[in-house]
Amino acid sequence: MDLGLKDRRALVTAASKGLGRACAEGLVAEGARVFISSRDPERTGREIGAAGWLASDLSSEDGPERTAGEAARVLGGLDIVIVNAGGPPPGTFQSTDLPAWEAGFQLTLMSAIRLVKATLPLLRQSEQGRIVFITSISVRQPIPNIVISNAMRAAVTGLAKTLSRELAPDRITVNCVAPDAILTDRIRHLAGGDEENVRRMAERTPMRRLGTPEEFAAACVFLCSRQAAYISGQTLGVDGGSTLGVH
Ligand SMILES: NC(=O)c1ccc[n+]([C@@H]2O[C@H](COP(=O)([O-])OP(=O)(O)OC[C@H]3O[C@@H](n4cnc5c(N)ncnc54)[C@H](OP(=O)(O)O)[C@@H]3O)[C@@H](O)[C@H]2O)c1
């Protein structure tokens, strides 16, 4: 299927590895011109054939705006934004102090708000704008011991749903893709760097395996496609069937 992504101009943030990188690679494979960012994106940018990259910290006040500006300068506009950031640290409510909440708020929610604010004027000029937020399956089923993520992803999902209505007249679709247990460094870190824990995590999934970043990226790339023009305001779980709810 031709996804109509050739020469489309895409920004993928937090894309030096893991899910962001896989999304950027997926878009490059479809012929899109892709700009990536992270705190250290250069090696990945070269490896995947990105059109450009910028080192920026998304949780800083000016990081998202600088990233959007440089992406637009290099690409000559923007059609697609995949909004991603690193995951906040794990912890229970009891073990999480207020500075950690503030840092998580900046990293997960404010970075998304700032990035959309900065890219919206550009997306409005696109014939078919796309915003995809990478969230977490915790929006359907909160995950024990990552309370900041559980709270902030719900906020991002509310933001996405609201935006989908506001931006529909501008032909911009807004969706979330919610991963669960896709094997990346984030999962290795949450497993305490212990391969045996990773194996046990895989055993607990319905498919008895973790997902691959490429399987996750395929969902994001489809939502960026021409064919997905009438899909907006949705959360698509890429979780190997792990959630128990019916919606
Ligand atoms: N993997 C899963 O199954 C899963 C499940 C639920 C939710 N998620 C969420 O999905 C997102 C991506 O996860 P992942 O598994 O791909 O994680 P990952 O492998 O740890 O990659 C994280 C990426 O974020 C970048 N990054 C981190 N902090 C940043 C910052 N302050 N500013 C800019 N870039 C930053 C990192 O690059 P630099 O170090 O170069 O900055 C890296 O490219 C995370 O928010 C994670 O919590 C993942």
Side-chain angles (χ1 to χ4, degrees), residues 16 19 38-40 57-58 84-85 87 153 181-182 184 186:
S16 67
L19 305 182
S38 83
R39 290 163 305 178
D40 186 11
D57 184 340
L58 281 178
N84 183 36
R153 311 287 185 192
I182 312 291
T184 64
R186 167 82 173 164

Side-chain angles (χ1 to χ4, degrees), residues 10-13 15-16 24 28 32-38 41-55 67 70-76:
L11 165 62
V12 186
T13 60
S16 67
V28 168
R33 295 173 57 227
V34 179
F35 187 96
I36 67 165
S37 78
S38 83
E42 185 172 342
R43 190 169 60 89
T44 298
R46 291 189 195 284
E47 282 174 3
I48 70 171
W53 51 84
L54 181 76
T67 305
E70 187 60 10
R73 190 188 67 74
V74 169
L75 300 175

Side-chain angles (χ1 to χ4, degrees), residues 5-234:
L5 287 166
K6 186 159 171 23
D7 293 331
R8 300 268 283 156
R9 301 158 298 180
L11 165 62
V12 186
T13 60
S16 67
K17 61 181 182 173
L19 305 182
R21 174 177 173 142
C23 289
E25 285 189 280
L27 288 169
V28 168
E30 292 298 323
R33 295 173 57 227
V34 179
F35 187 96
I36 67 165
S37 78
S38 83
R39 290 163 305 178
D40 186 11
E42 185 172 342
R43 190 169 60 89
T44 298
R46 291 189 195 284
E47 282 174 3
I48 70 171
W53 51 84
L54 181 76
S56 74
D57 184 340
L58 281 178
S59 63
S60 68
E61 216 165 295
D62 67 342
E65 196 177 339
R66 280 198 309 117
T67 305
E70 187 60 10
R73 190 188 67 74
V74 169
L75 300 175
L78 266 184
D79 304 297
I80 295 166
V81 182
I82 298 191
V83 184
N84 183 36
T92 62
F93 184 78
Q94 296 254 45
S95 69
T96 302
D97 60 17
L98 290 177
W101 275 106
E102 176 61 32
F105 170 67
Q106 293 296 336
L107 178 65
T108 308
L109 181 58
M110 283 311 297
S111 68
I113 292 170
R114 289 190 175 110
L115 199 65
V116 173
K117 272 226 177 283
T119 54
L120 209 45
L122 301 155
L123 292 173
R124 281 202 162 106
Q125 289 168 30
S126 169
E127 272 175 32
Q128 286 206 349
R130 300 278 184 269
I131 300 175
V132 176
F133 293 96
I134 296 181
T135 59
S136 167
I137 209 63
S138 68
V139 300
R140 299 215 167 110
Q141 195 167 276
I143 300 169
N145 201 39
I146 44 174
V147 67
I148 300 178
S149 176
N150 291 344
M152 296 303 160
R153 311 287 185 192
V156 171
T157 306
L159 169 72
K161 190 72 180 174
T162 310
L163 282 171
S164 72
R165 299 293 300 249
E166 281 191 31
L167 304 184
D170 296 313
R171 304 167 311 281
I172 300 170
T173 67
V174 186
N175 292 289
C176 298
V177 183
D180 187 28
I182 312 291
L183 185 56
T184 64
D185 284 354
R186 167 82 173 164
I187 292 297
R188 293 186 188 96
H189 173 71
L190 291 176
D194 181 338
E195 281 305 314
E196 187 54 28
N197 285 344
V198 174
R199 201 189 56 74
R200 278 198 218 102
M201 206 182 269
E203 272 305 304
R204 284 197 296 270
T205 68
M207 294 186 183
R208 307 286 181 264
R209 69 172 180 87
L210 301 179
T212 67
E214 293 71 25
E215 287 170 322
F216 178 84
C220 293
V221 169
F222 175 72
L223 288 172
C224 295
S225 72
R226 187 177 54 213
Q227 285 83 347
Y230 207 58
I231 303 174
S232 197
Q234 305 303 307

